[in-house]
Amino acid sequence: MEEKYETLKIQHESPNSGVFNLIINRPSVSNALGLNFFSEFPKVLNALDQNPIVAVIVLSGSGNHFCGGIDLKSLAAIADDNSGDQGRTRERLRRKIKLMQDAITAIERCRKPVIAAIHGACLGLGINIVTACDIRYCTKDAFFSVKEVDLAITADLGTLQRLPGIVGFGKAMELSLTGRRFSGDEAKELGLVSRVFGSREELKEGVRTIAEGIGGKPPLAVVGTKAVLIRSRDVNVEQGLDYVATWNSSMLLSEDLTEAISAQKQKRKPTFAKL
């Protein structure tokens, strides 16, 4: 956890807390992200996931914005990498895109819940990131745009696959084709975020309280709920039910269950072992 990163930093809420803050940390460029982000991000998420102290991850941005999109210098470098055989150039580009996609999907692979706390700009790549998060909140002054179409790109890191399931197909189509800017309040109306906070400080405090609440729940049930919901999103109801039956047949009979029932009966706060 002590390792330094170029695009990210980790902060622990307090020694007794299971909430960790993962902060996009390029404020001088509005948290626009270069290619190094795509190698650092999954590495950091995996480290947090494997740390038994971590219960919930809150993803936010330093400075004035959550994420200003992809760094245009990195985009230009990708565009300029076209020397030699065209078949090999295109195969190399496909591998690069798949690697970048995998970095964003690392949010879903992470067993621990990842909550996006969004302020300021959330553009392009930022939308790819937050749509992969488990819960999203924003400030009233946050603004969003599926910006890729204006950069002559078909969004390819997850927005076009995940956004329709969050806001509906028609709304996702409209936002993605127009690339228009929309507000935090509209994001709430669309269902992209669960709640809008009046200020960044209120966002930080509100999300911390929510994260602490989730972090205090039975760990096996929390990671199971995330895993089953993500799995059920991509299969039919019968397959989803079969998956959760298999999951609970292996996870349900645990010390967490015994402690949760005991605490309910004794009207006390439960204490669970770390995961």
Side-chain angles (χ1 to χ4, degrees):
M1 291 295 226
E2 298 298 323
E3 188 171 347
K4 298 292 184 181
Y5 301 97
E6 294 180 12
T7 64
L8 299 158
K9 63 180 178 180
I10 300 167
Q11 289 180 348
H12 190 189
E13 275 292 335
S14 70
N16 297 320
S17 172
V19 178
F20 279 68
N21 294 296
L22 179 55
I23 303 165
I24 300 171
N25 191 35
R26 297 192 76 211
S28 63
V29 289
S30 300
N31 288 328
L33 295 168
L35 296 178
N36 53 348
F37 168 79
F38 296 97
S39 60
E40 289 188 343
F41 191 55
K43 183 178 179 181
V44 175
L45 279 175
N46 184 63
L48 290 169
D49 189 19
Q50 298 304 315
N51 184 342
I53 299 172
V54 178
V56 180
I57 299 163
V58 176
L59 180 63
S60 63
S62 61
N64 296 324
H65 301 287
F66 176 80
C67 177
I70 194 164
D71 189 316
L72 294 182
K73 291 179 181 177
S74 293
L75 189 59
I78 293 172
D80 289 342
D81 183 17
N82 59 5
S83 58
D85 177 72
Q86 286 300 298
R88 284 169 172 77
T89 296
R90 290 164 183 163
E91 193 276 336
R92 187 165 60 247
L93 176 57
R94 185 178 188 275
R95 278 188 286 120
K96 186 169 291 184
I97 293 169
K98 293 288 287 182
L99 185 71
M100 294 164 74
Q101 289 174 341
D102 188 69
I104 304 302
T105 301
I107 297 170
E108 294 181 344
R109 281 199 307 272
C110 178
R111 296 171 304 147
K112 316 294 175 63
V114 180
I115 302 175
I118 306 155
H119 75 288
C122 181
L123 310 176
L125 176 56
I127 302 280
N128 287 281
I129 292 168
V130 302
T131 52
C133 291
D134 303 306
I135 312 174
R136 293 161 292 277
Y137 301 99
C138 75
T139 57
K140 192 173 181 63
D141 64 357
F143 58 95
F144 303 79
S145 172
V146 183
K147 193 70 176 167
E148 283 88 345
V149 70
D150 291 330
L151 297 173
I153 301 171
T154 300
D156 57 3
L157 301 185
T159 291
L160 301 185
Q161 290 69 39
R162 296 183 176 102
L163 188 61
I166 297 168
V167 305
F169 182 85
K171 292 172 183 175
M173 183 71 81
E174 185 261 336
L175 294 171
S176 301
L177 288 177
T178 64
R180 70 174 177 85
R181 174 170 160 168
F182 58 101
S183 67
D185 284 335
E186 185 176 356
K188 171 67 166 61
E189 292 173 15
L190 290 166
L192 180 59
V193 301
S194 298
R195 182 176 169 186
V196 178
F197 290 87
S199 68
R200 189 176 177 187
E201 193 56 42
E202 289 174 22
L203 172 71
K204 183 178 180 180
E205 183 59 28
V207 171
R208 185 193 66 78
T209 300
I210 293 163
E212 292 285 4
I214 295 171
K217 297 185 185 300
L220 285 172
V222 170
V223 300
T225 297
K226 172 173 177 172
V228 169
L229 270 170
I230 290 174
R231 174 67 174 170
S232 298
R233 177 194 63 190
D234 301 326
V235 299
N236 63 36
V237 173
E238 183 179 356
Q239 291 168 323
L241 288 170
D242 186 66
Y243 184 77
V244 73
T246 303
W247 183 283
N248 270 352
S249 68
S250 62
M251 300 291 184
L252 183 61
L253 302 179
S254 68
E255 292 179 0
D256 286 5
L257 179 63
T258 304
E259 171 63 7
I261 293 171
S262 177
Q264 288 279 340
K265 288 180 177 178
Q266 297 172 19
K267 295 181 169 44
R268 60 174 174 80
K269 185 178 178 180
T271 302
F272 302 106
K274 292 179 173 60
L275 192 62

